[in-house]
Amino acid sequence: MILVALGANLPGPDGRDALATCRAAAAALDALPGLRLRALSRWYATAPVPADPASPDYVNGVARLEGQAPDPATLLAALQAVEGRFGRVRPYPNAPRTLDLDLIDLDGLVRDAPDPVLPHPRAHMRAFVLAPLADVAPGWVHPGLKRTVGGLLAAVGLEGFRVLAESGLDGYMEGSS
């Protein structure tokens, strides 16, 4: 099981809003060689972290992929290539973005180096990752902390969250084939 967080808060270079960009990016994940999109969370609207009153709210979701995963560095490069196709630039840390794809977990692998660090080093502190992750993998246990997604989510809370939309991709929900 491969878990990828999706987020955006700026329109894409083609003018798509953040939700449309995230939906298109989820479809792009399904096209990665050897991988299939098996579940896609609901889409959530969340305030930027860290707080930035000048920045629009984010659209956040999580995709669960399955299949023959490449090594972590190759998968990270593939995710960054998808970001690039959707106009991602990195002018400074935590800058608003057209698309952000974060590799959260790769088959339970734990590694501190090299990039990507797995599981994602801040995923367990981010409700905007944990809430959609619970949609697609409710039984997930953090490979390093050995805590359930439900327990982690209860610890961080859901203040400021709202469901923006269902996944919008029929056939990508739990139990589909």
Side-chain angles (χ1 to χ4, degrees):
M1 175 171 61
I2 301 157
L3 298 168
V4 176
L6 301 92
N9 72 335
L10 295 177
D14 58 1
R16 289 186 225 208
D17 65 24
L19 178 58
T21 295
C22 286
R23 285 180 167 152
L29 294 177
D30 191 46
L32 293 175
L35 300 177
R36 296 292 301 168
L37 179 60
R38 291 296 181 207
L40 185 60
S41 72
R42 293 175 287 180
W43 299 107
Y44 295 83
T46 61
V49 176
D52 179 358
S55 183
D57 283 353
Y58 276 85
V59 172
N60 294 106
V62 168
R64 189 183 81 223
L65 306 169
E66 294 175 359
Q68 199 64 0
D71 69 86
T74 301
L75 181 54
L76 178 62
L79 296 178
Q80 290 174 341
V82 172
E83 289 176 338
R85 290 198 310 265
F86 287 91
R88 172 73 189 266
V89 294
R90 292 174 165 78
Y92 56 89
N94 300 312
R97 58 207 67 168
T98 58
L99 181 63
D100 186 28
L101 299 175
D102 286 332
L103 181 57
I104 303 302
D105 187 16
L106 177 61
D107 293 329
L109 180 63
V110 176
R111 67 187 227 159
D112 294 326
D115 269 347
V117 172
L118 289 168
H120 189 284
R122 292 171 302 284
H124 67 284
M125 300 180 285
R126 295 175 165 176
F128 64 85
V129 171
L130 296 169
L133 193 156
D135 285 349
V136 299
W140 184 75
V141 175
H142 188 287
L145 300 175
K146 306 300 184 208
R147 294 181 60 196
T148 66
V149 66
L152 293 167
L153 188 54
V156 298
L158 286 173
E159 185 176 332
F161 258 67
R162 65 185 166 87
V163 174
L164 187 61
E166 296 302 313
S167 70
L169 292 175
D170 294 335
Y172 291 120
M173 292 311 296
E174 189 70 38
S176 65
S177 54

